[in-house]
Amino acid sequence: NEYKSYLSKYNIKHADQLITHVTESSSRDWKKIYGALSMVTSCSVGWLALWISFLVLHLLGDAALSTRQLKRRNVDFAKLFASESYRWIEDITTNSNTNYYNYTGYNSYDSIRSELYRLEKKYNFVKVEKFGSTYERRDLIALHINKNKSNQIVFLNSLIHAREWITGCVTMSIIERLLSFKSDVITDLLNYYHFIIVPVLNPDGYHYSFTKNRMWRKNREKTGHPNCVGVDINRNFAYGFDSYQVDKKEADDKCSGAYRGTHALCTAESSGLHKILTKYKHNIKYYIDYHSYGNMWTNAYGAHNWLPKNEVQLVCLQHIC
């Protein structure tokens, strides 16, 4: 009842269904249910967090091609995920035309880049920021959406792992919805937040995955090994670089998909992300890094058992999502 009253206070619709969903989906863990229900009322930004969550869920449901669509096209899932050949991907709508962006399929890095600059020209509150250049000299770019000159930042990035194409579709769809869709939720989000979105954090690796090797994961910089190229950008951040790796042997193997690099922030991509996050760190309220490894929502900290100061809000969001 307390939770329902809180939701109703901010005119959040379908409170009964939401409470039922939270309760049923968490029925095996009553302690967490109690935590989620009681903690929401103490979250000063709880209602805004709920709106963000609903938007993300909606976009995840609509982004790119659904499993049902893939099945209708008779795509062989084994070949789709196991093959290292580009030809199997041609059946699910890929676009390499830099003059056209397809919001219902997968697009090349150049198509995505062109679309971001097109949006910058179209909207006076949209700006493209370059925050680095890759080993193969592709731009690292972020799109700013700040309609009301807010200093409350939502930072989203995707495609740190080259083969996780669907994550780029999600962030590009979020951009499309924020700029093109009309609703009270979108209006409130644009009025209150400054969005910074990086659809492709690994341009070189994504280009290679898109054109040569579908299952490529890392970037494309040289490692010193004659036959092995690329660093796993996601293992190259400074936090826990020396003290924590899931598999130390694999992390130091230049030929593995999880090679961490010679030292922290040695890649242009991790260093660039570090710089842009540091630049805006005092105003960032939400940060989401999209992956497609599994159907899960993960919070800090992955390297330790410590809980962040805002664990209350994070658990609250987990239950809702």
Side-chain angles (χ1 to χ4, degrees):
N1 287 334
E2 185 179 15
Y3 192 32
K4 181 179 178 181
S5 174
Y6 179 85
L7 294 172
S8 300
K9 178 180 177 182
Y10 293 103
N11 298 317
I12 296 175
K13 298 177 181 179
H14 310 302
D16 289 322
Q17 293 93 318
L18 177 60
I19 293 169
T20 300
H21 171 72
V22 172
T23 305
E24 290 179 351
S25 64
S26 309
S27 59
R28 297 181 182 179
D29 194 344
W30 289 101
K31 289 184 179 180
K32 287 186 178 180
I33 292 174
Y34 177 77
L37 299 182
S38 59
M39 284 187 267
V40 171
T41 58
S42 66
C43 301
S44 61
V45 294
W47 67 282
L48 292 168
L50 292 176
W51 282 8
I52 281 277
S53 302
F54 296 153
L55 175 64
V56 171
L57 283 173
H58 179 64
L59 298 177
L60 286 172
D62 289 346
L65 297 174
S66 68
T67 302
R68 190 175 303 170
Q69 286 175 302
L70 288 173
K71 288 181 178 178
R72 281 203 298 266
R73 292 168 182 246
N74 297 317
V75 175
D76 187 323
F77 281 85
K79 291 177 179 177
L80 176 63
F81 293 109
S83 172
E84 300 210 343
S85 170
Y86 175 63
R87 66 183 181 275
W88 298 112
I89 306 306
E90 292 176 343
D91 290 337
I92 54 173
T93 312
T94 56
N95 171 41
S96 299
N97 185 349
T98 58
N99 296 318
Y100 167 71
Y101 185 85
N102 178 12
Y103 278 99
T104 61
Y106 297 111
N107 296 265
S108 68
Y109 163 77
D110 289 332
S111 298
I112 294 171
R113 181 179 181 277
S114 296
E115 177 67 2
L116 297 183
Y117 279 103
R118 185 189 72 81
L119 294 172
E120 180 186 39
K121 290 181 179 180
K122 184 176 180 180
Y123 300 95
N124 59 11
F125 57 90
V126 172
K127 181 184 76 171
V128 172
E129 178 182 2
K130 179 181 175 181
F131 61 94
S133 183
T134 67
Y135 179 79
E136 294 181 347
R137 298 186 178 181
R138 291 184 177 87
D139 291 341
L140 295 168
I141 52 179
L143 190 78
H144 292 254
I145 302 175
N146 193 5
K147 193 171 185 178
N148 208 28
K149 297 183 179 180
S150 171
N151 62 356
Q152 308 291 306
I153 294 175
V154 175
F155 196 105
L156 312 175
N157 64 251
S158 57
L159 275 172
I160 192 172
H161 287 143
R163 62 193 180 197
E164 298 177 6
W165 293 7
I166 192 70
T167 63
C169 294
V170 170
T171 50
M172 288 299 291
S173 291
I174 290 174
I175 291 170
E176 181 196 22
R177 303 302 170 89
L178 288 173
L179 296 178
S180 303
F181 279 51
K182 306 297 181 183
S183 73
D184 292 340
V185 172
I186 296 294
T187 299
D188 287 340
L189 288 172
L190 290 176
N191 284 338
Y192 194 80
Y193 288 113
H194 170 186
F195 287 86
I196 303 177
I197 303 176
V198 182
V200 187
L201 190 53
N202 182 4
D204 293 350
Y206 180 57
H207 175 75
Y208 191 74
S209 172
F210 206 82
T211 58
K212 300 285 182 61
N213 180 343
R214 173 64 182 91
M215 296 306 292
W216 188 256
R217 168 186 168 95
K218 303 183 286 182
N219 68 8
R220 293 295 298 166
E221 68 180 57
K222 292 182 179 180
T223 62
H225 191 289
N227 300 316
C228 300
V229 173
V231 173
D232 180 3
I233 304 165
N234 203 38
R235 301 287 185 277
N236 191 244
F237 295 106
Y239 185 84
F241 182 83
D242 293 316
S243 61
Y244 178 82
Q245 293 289 337
V246 175
D247 187 327
K248 187 75 161 53
K249 185 177 180 180
E250 184 183 32
D252 289 331
D253 181 359
K254 294 178 180 179
C255 296
S256 81
Y259 173 55
R260 64 176 176 168
T262 56
H263 58 273
L265 303 179
C266 69
T267 72
E269 298 86 356
S270 59
S271 176
L273 182 63
H274 173 78
K275 288 176 182 177
I276 193 172
L277 287 173
T278 302
K279 179 180 178 180
Y280 298 107
K281 69 178 182 179
H282 295 297
N283 294 324
I284 294 176
K285 302 303 176 184
Y286 297 93
Y287 172 80
I288 301 177
D289 176 19
Y290 288 96
H291 290 256
S292 59
Y293 172 81
N295 185 22
M296 61 187 75
W297 175 295
T298 60
N299 296 332
Y301 295 98
H304 305 283
N305 291 325
W306 308 333
L307 297 178
K309 293 180 180 179
N310 64 336
E311 173 69 5
V312 166
Q313 295 176 3
L314 295 175
V315 170
C316 173
L317 282 172
Q318 279 183 315
H319 279 269
I320 293 167
C321 290

